[in-house]
Structure formats: structure tokens, C-alpha cells
Amino acid sequence: MNLLRRALLASIGAMIGWKPSSAKEISPASGEETVTQNEVEKSSVTPRHVLCFLGKGRDLSPLSDAASKAIHDFATGFSVDEDYSQAEPDDRMVQSFAVCWDRVKADAWSPADEDAVTDHQSVLYILGPSMQQAETVKVSMLALRLVERLIDAGAVAVKGESAGIAHGLDRWRELIRQGAEATKAADPLAEQRIGRLAFAKRPLSVPRYLESVGFHLVGLPEVYVPETVGSEREIVAIMDVVADEIAQRGLEPTLKGRRASLSFDSTYEPDEFKFNPYGIVRLPN
């Protein structure tokens, strides 16, 4: 499971030129990597979901109609993208899904899911609204409900483009069920955790670290763990624990307790969907 950042950039979201919402374009803070949040001007870039759905037929209307109804019923601010959706196969999808499958969760996809990608006949993209940090979890739960609606309408494969993550249909259904239970229980921490598992990708490789991508979709900074700390699975477990600590205790206590630093020196540009405006928590060696 040797995942590389360049594999993520092979996903379709990196190919087709969508941009995140921004009131103004700024660059990540330069200079020292170990800076505090108060020392850096916050980015005005706001996260948003981009969802990719594959259909089994060349008629997009079953998926687009289901999406339009879900948008009317509950998914306010989401929209069907008319520019890149297409009623024909996209031969890039096999490679794109291959690099985006979740390789952390056991049995996150199956050969049947791979076959569905190979045999797809249409592609529908849905764009989410720009999200302020306080509303990211709520909107991510709506995105899960939207995924449910489109699977029920016949989508054969689903991918989150904002972080480059794909799950098989059974895994999506499991995440949808868990999200619904967390929402019913009014448990925002559980909702945040499930949204992170659904829409973020980890681990990916940057020099000296393994990184998460997509934690901003639930209002959290990314977590970078030194690659020397352990195996990839051990490092993923650390990423998840740190993310939960930030959600439960807050950022500053987590930084102090972990002797970690908050950096805004991102490897992604502010006009990339993978750019995290909440920064990067870098753990020490």
C-alpha cells in the first residue's frame, strides 16, 4: 500500500480545471514551517465537495433527475455540473478510480466495483456549495445523503473528487448508514469522524511525511506524520487519533499535547480543491 501523492493528482478532479471558491487568491504563508495560526493570515479559500457518479447507461437522466430532486429536497447549494457531465464513457475513469480507491479500510471495494467502473457508460458530476468551517460537517452529511440517493437511482460507482477518494458501493452504504445514525443521535463528533472517513484520503506521501488530504471537508487541518514513525497503517491510525483529538479537545491543546506545529506551507495551491485553508498539523519525529 505504497500510495504516492502523484497518484492522487492523476484523479479526474486534477485534470479538468474546476476551482474552489475564493473571495481573493492568496498564497500559503512563506518562511518558517512551524508557525502558529495567529501568525498567519487565514486563507479566504473555502472547501467544497465535488462528487463523481458513474452510470450504467448512456442516459444521464436517471442520475441527474435523482440529483435534482435531492437538491430540491435537502441538498441546498449543491448543483449538477453541466460542463463535464457526459452521457458517454470516460476512458480516464479506470485509472482515476484505481489511484483513488480507499486502501485503508479492508474490503473497501471489490472486483465487482472495478468491473462497474470499466463498464460505465456515463458520468455525472455534482458540485457542492462553498463551506464555512462551522458548516462543513453538516454539509458533508448532506453529501452522504446525496450519494445514497444516486446509488438508489442506479449509480454504479462514486468518487469524491475534492480529495480523490473512492469506495465500493457496499462501503458507501456502510458510511451512509453510520452517518444517518450519528445524525439521528445528534452526535456531531461522530458525524465529523464519518465525514472524514467518507471524503478524505490517507495516507499519501510528501517528503519525509505521510499526509492526509481532505480533512478540510469536515473543518479540520491536515495531519502530517513523519514516515519514520511506523508502518503506513500505524501512521494512518495516528492521523485518525490526532484528528479526533482536535475535534474533541481543540487545536491548541492538541498541538501542545503532541508537541506538534501548525503550518500553512501547503504543497497544494490555493486554487486546488485539495488545499486546506485550516493548515497542517505536523507531528514531531
Side-chain angles (χ1 to χ4, degrees):
M1 191 183 71
N2 190 12
L3 305 182
L4 301 176
R5 176 174 175 267
R6 65 176 179 268
L8 175 64
L9 295 179
S11 73
I12 300 303
M15 298 177 183
I16 60 180
W18 282 310
K19 302 293 184 183
S21 297
S22 175
K24 61 178 181 178
E25 188 168 298
I26 64 173
S27 297
S30 60
E32 296 291 330
E33 287 188 350
T34 57
V35 294
T36 66
Q37 192 168 16
N38 292 333
E39 293 172 330
V40 178
E41 180 184 8
K42 275 193 171 182
S43 169
S44 60
V45 173
T46 53
R48 67 188 304 192
H49 285 279
V50 181
L51 302 172
C52 172
F53 299 90
L54 303 187
K56 59 185 175 183
R58 295 207 176 198
D59 180 5
L60 267 179
S61 59
L63 296 185
S64 61
D65 289 350
S68 296
K69 188 172 190 311
I71 291 166
H72 176 269
D73 290 348
F74 60 83
T76 303
F78 286 79
S79 62
V80 174
D81 184 88
E82 303 290 350
D83 293 328
Y84 295 106
S85 298
Q86 59 184 58
E88 60 183 7
D90 185 332
D91 59 10
R92 301 171 297 179
M93 285 296 167
V94 171
Q95 179 187 4
S96 177
F97 270 80
V99 300
C100 291
W101 292 121
D102 178 16
R103 288 173 170 80
V104 174
K105 175 70 174 177
D107 301 320
W109 83 97
S110 70
D113 293 305
E114 294 178 309
D115 291 343
V117 173
T118 300
D119 297 336
H120 82 279
Q121 296 297 306
S122 54
V123 184
L124 184 78
Y125 289 102
I126 296 180
L127 307 180
S130 302
M131 299 183 290
Q132 298 300 317
Q133 188 172 16
E135 62 187 6
T136 51
V137 174
K138 177 182 177 181
V139 175
S140 291
M141 291 299 98
L142 295 179
L144 265 183
R145 291 179 62 191
L146 192 55
V147 171
E148 179 181 31
R149 282 284 187 95
L150 268 72
I151 291 175
D152 289 346
V156 297
V158 183
K159 174 159 55 79
E161 295 286 2
S162 298
I165 183 68
H167 311 282
L169 293 189
D170 286 346
R171 175 58 174 160
W172 276 116
R173 291 187 182 102
E174 179 183 9
L175 291 164
I176 290 162
R177 176 185 57 78
Q178 292 173 352
E181 290 175 352
T183 299
K184 184 177 180 181
D187 187 343
L189 291 177
E191 289 180 313
Q192 188 174 52
R193 185 180 307 111
I194 293 156
R196 177 167 52 78
L197 295 176
F199 296 115
K201 178 82 168 177
R202 75 260 192 267
L204 294 162
S205 179
V206 292
R208 306 191 312 277
Y209 291 92
L210 293 182
E211 66 170 349
S212 66
V213 175
F215 283 9
H216 59 312
L217 297 170
V218 290
L220 296 172
E222 303 302 344
V223 178
Y224 280 32
V225 181
E227 61 188 4
T228 56
V229 165
S231 69
E232 288 189 345
R233 289 195 178 276
E234 290 169 337
I235 288 175
V236 166
I238 293 170
M239 289 178 181
D240 290 343
V241 169
V242 171
D244 284 340
E245 287 178 1
I246 296 170
Q248 293 166 3
R249 301 174 56 200
L251 178 58
E252 293 300 332
T254 302
L255 291 175
K256 183 176 180 180
R258 290 274 178 177
R259 292 173 29 196
S261 62
L262 182 67
S263 168
F264 288 82
D265 186 16
S266 177
T267 57
Y268 300 101
E269 295 298 325
D271 64 351
E272 293 184 67
F273 279 116
K274 298 172 182 67
F275 176 77
N276 190 324
Y278 314 124
I280 298 161
V281 171
R282 294 181 185 267
L283 299 187
N285 286 303

